[in-house]
Amino acid sequence: KLLEEETYNTILLISYIYALIIAISAIFLQAPYGKLTAVSSSIFKLAPTINLSSNLGWFLMELPATIVFYYFYSTGPNATEPSALLFLALWTIHYGNRGFIFPYLIRAKAKTFNLWIVVTGWSVTSIHAYLNAVMIAHLDNKFKGTYWLSTWQFQIGLGVYFIGFVGNVYSDHQIRSLRSSGCVDYGIPTGGLFDYVTCANYLTEIIAFVGFAIASGGFGSLFVVFVTVANLVPRAFQVDRWYREKFKEEYPVHRKVLIPFIL
């Protein structure tokens, strides 16, 4: 049933409504993880205050993106097609980093990742994985053969994706390098895009997902773009405010929040 086009389109529609709800909620709420744990919105404090280490929290939250995608992809008629296999490789690279390497490399060991964020995150990562795996391996015929790989849309999208992905990995490295192992305090990131914006890691993550959506050319891959923008744009302003309140005159006045020279 989940592999039928009618069911898929229904879930896709519900997913976009869910993304809209996330967008509205993110404007008013501060999710309790990372540097905003101590200043999270009161609604999250109604939930059980079970905090995990950032390593474990990120790992658990991202895990469905790998499990769900592989499960649905593996049963698809397009699973062994060259175009589909390339997207499988992209997914493996992306979530190999985000779901396994990134959590492992986090240096802060303090328990600042609320379990509630993990549980709510599972809905997003599971839907995201389902929508893309079923689109690529089951329903979209453009992933048969190699034709799609020769189109300008795929090639431009792939280029945008890798710009975002490499930039995101580098931005994460810059943030990590500010801390000695086990340190829980924060510093001011500098270098690269951080000379222009507070949240270079958010900007590059958005760019990567936009690139993937362009390259795949399906409405299923747009879901995570909407959710990522809905979640990270309001959070970027919250993080920027946090930095300016913590570091005051030390923080660069000219630095924008998310988009160099603009926003």
Side-chain angles (χ1 to χ4, degrees):
K1 190 77 174 179
L2 288 173
L3 303 179
E4 295 177 1
E5 188 168 1
E6 184 178 353
T7 303
Y8 179 88
N9 290 335
T10 300
I11 294 174
L12 182 62
L13 177 60
I14 294 171
S15 300
Y16 284 150
I17 295 172
Y18 182 41
L20 179 61
I21 293 171
I22 292 174
I24 296 171
S25 301
I27 295 172
F28 302 102
L29 304 178
Q30 290 187 160
Y33 67 91
K35 58 179 64 66
L36 298 183
T37 300
V39 292
S40 61
S41 301
S42 58
I43 189 172
F44 287 107
K45 296 175 183 177
L46 299 175
T49 54
I50 302 173
N51 286 338
L52 309 173
S53 68
S54 295
N55 310 70
L56 181 58
W58 274 109
F59 169 74
L60 290 176
M61 186 175 70
E62 298 289 350
L63 192 57
T66 298
I67 295 175
V68 174
F69 185 89
Y70 283 0
Y71 173 78
F72 284 105
Y73 181 94
S74 64
T75 61
N78 298 344
T80 58
E81 295 287 341
S83 295
L85 286 171
L86 193 146
F87 279 91
L88 174 64
L90 287 179
W91 194 275
T92 302
I93 291 169
H94 188 92
Y95 284 100
N97 173 67
R98 179 55 63 186
F100 296 90
I101 296 174
F102 172 76
Y104 176 77
L105 292 177
I106 292 175
R107 292 181 175 179
K109 306 302 180 184
K111 293 185 176 182
T112 60
F113 209 104
N114 193 289
L115 182 61
W116 179 245
I117 296 300
V118 174
V119 174
T120 55
W122 281 339
S123 62
V124 172
T125 51
S126 298
I127 292 170
H128 171 45
Y130 162 79
L131 290 176
N132 281 279
V134 174
M135 174 185 70
I136 293 167
H138 292 267
L139 299 180
D140 199 330
N141 288 329
K142 71 170 172 284
F143 294 103
K144 294 182 183 296
T146 60
Y147 166 75
W148 182 246
L149 305 184
S150 66
T151 63
W152 66 265
Q153 183 174 341
F154 167 77
Q155 293 167 5
I156 290 175
L158 185 65
V160 172
Y161 169 77
F162 273 112
I163 289 171
F165 177 76
V166 172
N168 189 246
V169 171
Y170 180 60
S171 297
D172 287 339
H173 168 73
Q174 287 175 288
I175 294 173
R176 237 179 358 254
S177 66
L178 292 171
R179 296 178 168 189
S180 58
S181 183
C183 176
V184 297
D185 203 4
Y186 293 88
I188 301 174
T190 57
L193 283 172
F194 282 113
D195 286 340
Y196 303 95
V197 295
T198 295
C199 298
N201 50 330
Y202 293 174
L203 172 61
T204 50
E205 185 170 355
I206 292 170
I207 290 172
F209 282 132
V210 168
F212 188 90
I214 294 171
S216 63
F219 288 109
S221 54
L222 281 175
F223 165 72
V224 77
V225 176
F226 294 152
V227 170
T228 302
V229 170
N231 180 46
L232 294 188
V233 171
R235 186 172 175 87
F237 281 91
Q238 295 162 3
V239 169
D240 183 75
R241 183 169 61 250
W242 182 91
Y243 271 113
R244 295 184 189 279
E245 289 175 355
K246 180 176 177 63
F247 294 102
K248 298 181 171 58
E249 293 81 8
E250 295 180 55
Y251 200 76
V253 177
H254 68 278
R255 190 175 291 187
K256 296 296 185 181
V257 176
L258 192 62
I259 304 176
F261 312 112
I262 298 173
L263 181 64

